[in-house]
Amino acid sequence: ISGPDLVRYMRREEHLRKIPVMMMTQADSIKISCEGLVAGAVALLPEPFSPSQVQNLLHMLVDTRDVANQHRI
């Protein structure tokens, strides 16, 4: 199963729908990367990457989620 197919599956399933998906992708797979975002991935991380890049992206995603939750009515 491809990354985008997995994301599409997760978005269809009620119990998996709200799990944020960060796709890690090779630099030469731009088409698949775009498909992942269209399918519902929240971020892309091109390989090769460093642990600090993963940590920074995860912190950004959590902070964004927290701000969004604070502004819900």
Side-chain angles (χ1 to χ4, degrees):
I1 187 168
S2 71
D5 287 340
L6 178 60
V7 175
R8 279 189 281 275
Y9 170 79
M10 291 177 70
R11 296 301 170 244
R12 286 193 306 265
E13 297 296 317
E14 183 66 35
H15 65 286
L16 301 173
R17 182 173 294 160
K18 293 184 180 182
I19 298 172
V21 177
M22 177 176 60
M23 289 185 63
M24 298 173 191
T25 183
Q26 295 176 354
D28 62 348
S29 60
I30 299 299
K31 181 181 178 203
I32 292 174
S33 301
C34 292
E35 288 177 19
L37 289 173
V38 169
V42 296
L44 293 175
L45 189 60
E47 294 177 341
F49 50 84
S50 69
S52 64
Q53 286 175 296
V54 176
Q55 186 176 25
N56 289 336
L57 183 55
L58 290 173
H59 282 294
M60 187 264 320
L61 292 172
V62 168
D63 290 346
T64 301
R65 182 197 63 198
D66 290 346
V67 168
N69 286 338
Q70 290 174 0
H71 291 89
R72 285 192 177 154
I73 297 175

